[in-house]
Amino acid sequence: MTAQTTHTAGAGGSDVAEDPVPVVRAVGLVKRYGDLAAVDGVDLTVPAGAVYGLLGPNGAGKTTFMRILFGLIRPDEGRIELFGRSELAGRVEALEDVAGFVETPRFYPYMSARANLEALATLDRRVSADRIPELLEQVELTDRARSKVGEFSYGMVQRLGVAAALMRSPRLLVLDEPTNGLDPAGIRDMRALISRLASTGITVLLSSHNMLEVEEVCGHVAIMRRGRLAFDGSMAELRAMAQDVEYRLVTGDDARAADVCRGAPGVSNVRTATDGIRLDSRPGPVEALTARLGAMGIGIRQLELPITALETLFFRLTEGDAAGEAAAA
Amino acid sequence: MSPFAAVYRVETRKLLAQTRVRALLLFLLVVPWIYIGLILHQDRLPLETLYGRYLKDTGFATPLAILVYASQWVLPLIAALLAGDVFSSEDQLGTLKTILTRSVGRTAVFWGKLAAVFSFTVLAIVIVAVSATLAGVITVGNDPLVDVGGHLRSASSAAGLVAISWATVVLPTLAFGAIAMMVSILTRSSVLGVIVPVVIGLVMQLYTFLNAWDTVRHLLLGWTMSAWRGVMDSPSYYTPLARGLVVSAVYLVVATTVAFVVFRRRDVAGG
């Protein structure tokens, strides 16, 4: 999808203004490791101002894509442009206005947080170390500025990674699984930080394997599966696709209830399990089903959505067959 | 500030921040004093070592006797300790990707690191040479020195010869450093980066003891490490030294080129 028109980004995103030059444009990107295609013909366009989620299970190719974006590895085929600049291949010019981290941000453990940021400011040359106190405050690490990074928790290193990225005053912020390994409070704070940054106009490309996180933060999403794009579009488009939801139903007589479910209109994929009956449907048919079960004297003990509609779609896209993938794309 | 200067500045700061590097420099500063202190407190002298017999006669014998030991395995070890993990440690810490996503290219990163490591290697040699000279002169005195040809050299002449002798081992030591760096880039292993150059140094040293082909012997770094003995003779002869410097330069250039080409082309996929 080439999202270069004005539209509403959806949850967590901002309105995307028309921009003739996309922030990221990947064309026919391929990276192979032996017989395995980690990235297999990916075409992706990230418009300016978007909070773009790159979603997929572990091993889907998200991190490989981001490594190519940063010039850390070379694609076997295709190219990637940042702000219209190609010739990535590690060239410094291509990474102007771009910052972020791939996998866990890494620092020198024998140096303090401040010394690490000062070293990175020196490498960035045009970046002033004067901003370091402000950035440390922004990621709530002011108190640990002089502590060695080797003593930091995982979450603190993640936050320091964000500070290191922001030091470059980027127009594109690339974050690879930024909430990985964080505790619930850390996850909440990181998401809030990303939303806050996005509201300042920075384009954010965020990888995650968590549909809920992407749904909360991103306005656009690309879903990767085995190196390929299974979906690429706005959250609104994804939601429109995600109509059938998986329900879990527990009744007083699951065997009879399952037979009723199988014959109910608008209900599909009925399967029985030890914890009840699972079925795919929508609110209307489910309402009719529950009324019918009640009329037949089958008591309903529990009816719940184990996963959201988007999660259901995500699992279908990332675990489903090639036909489903093609239909989604 | 150029990208090279930026990397050089950061690398020197990183090296100074490492306890291992500070401990190495401190060790090199202290060990000549311990050595001469032990010699002065015993009756026997290391007679089998060049200038060992003069250790209690003149302070200028101390840096030369230490140079004999150093040139055999200490200098390759120093070079390997400093250069052997300058790239592989970045691989292990996962920080190479941190550097390469900033405003410096791979070329600047490579040459900046190389320059920083070589600066510290030269600094290490200067520290041990100066410390050994001071330890000898302060504890034994600055009496004239008998050169390899048996002629007495004045204190100022002896000081000059000591400086020249130590200066001649700088290039082969840097060549060992380049080998260490190449191994650390090729294997991404700090252990191999340190061990391989030391083993190479020892094997080369062993070969020089064998009654084998002289042509091969002259092409070994171990041989060039002892070429300074020609400078200490009277009259001095410089052919082994000149040949040794050329051999060292070839090792240095070849190892650095291989390291540079591999570093420029490789994927940064770890961490």
Side-chain angles (χ1 to χ4, degrees), chain A residues 72 74 102 106 118 124, chain B residues 13 97-98 102 264 268:
Chain A
L72 296 172
R74 293 161 205 269
V102 182
R106 298 299 181 111
E118 283 171 352
D124 280 331
Chain B
R13 186 173 178 180
K97 67 182 182 185
T98 307
R102 314 306 290 198
R264 280 270 299 168
V268 180

Side-chain angles (χ1 to χ4, degrees), chain A residues 44-67:
Chain A
L44 184 76
T45 302
V46 177
V51 181
Y52 209 104
L54 193 57
L55 191 66
N58 292 334
K62 308 182 298 290
T63 297
T64 303
F65 177 85
M66 290 191 160
R67 285 185 188 281

Side-chain angles (χ1 to χ4, degrees), chain A residues 89-151:
Chain A
R91 288 188 59 190
V92 173
E93 293 77 10
L95 290 177
E96 282 283 315
D97 304 318
V98 182
F101 52 79
V102 182
E103 293 185 312
T104 311
R106 298 299 181 111
F107 298 95
Y108 300 103
Y110 49 84
M111 289 164 62
S112 69
R114 189 186 168 85
N116 267 285
L117 292 185
E118 283 171 352
L120 295 179
T122 304
L123 293 176
D124 280 331
R125 293 178 288 152
R126 286 182 304 171
V127 172
S128 170
D130 296 345
R131 287 191 63 210
I132 290 173
E134 165 206 330
L135 290 167
L136 286 171
E137 191 177 341
Q138 196 169 350
V139 296
E140 297 169 12
L141 285 174
T142 302
D143 295 345
R144 303 300 298 270
R146 302 210 175 271
S147 302
K148 288 188 177 172
V149 173
E151 301 164 3

Side-chain angles (χ1 to χ4, degrees), chain B residues 118-203:
Chain B
F118 279 9
S119 297
F120 271 71
T121 307
V122 173
L123 176 67
I125 294 172
V126 169
I127 285 175
V128 70
V130 171
S131 177
T133 307
L134 289 176
V137 169
I138 290 172
T139 57
V140 181
N142 62 345
D143 296 297
L145 176 79
V146 178
D147 68 18
V148 176
H151 292 85
L152 210 57
R153 301 292 188 108
S154 67
S156 59
S157 172
L161 288 172
V162 166
I164 290 169
S165 299
W166 275 92
T168 64
V169 297
V170 170
L171 197 59
T173 306
L174 294 182
F176 274 113
I179 292 170
M181 202 174 57
M182 179 186 72
V183 172
S184 90
I185 287 176
L186 290 175
T187 64
R188 306 188 186 203
S189 162
S190 300
V191 175
L192 290 176
V194 173
I195 287 177
V196 169
V198 175
V199 170
I200 289 174
L202 287 173
V203 169

Side-chain angles (χ1 to χ4, degrees), chain A residues 217-290:
Chain A
V217 177
C218 300
H220 294 70
V221 63
I223 298 178
M224 290 190 79
R225 173 180 180 254
R226 295 180 194 165
R228 297 185 151 201
L229 284 189
F231 174 84
D232 182 12
S234 68
M235 284 306 300
E237 289 172 297
L238 188 66
R239 280 195 196 93
M241 286 177 63
Q243 292 185 343
D244 276 7
V245 186
E246 185 184 83
Y247 288 86
R248 188 169 75 89
L249 176 67
V250 182
T251 67
D253 185 351
D254 280 356
R256 273 182 69 212
D259 287 339
V260 175
C261 291
R262 287 191 184 96
V267 175
S268 61
N269 201 18
V270 178
R271 59 267 186 215
T272 51
T274 51
D275 61 345
I277 303 162
R278 288 178 185 259
L279 54 94
D280 294 347
S281 189
R282 279 171 280 173
V286 166
E287 198 177 318
L289 174 67
T290 52

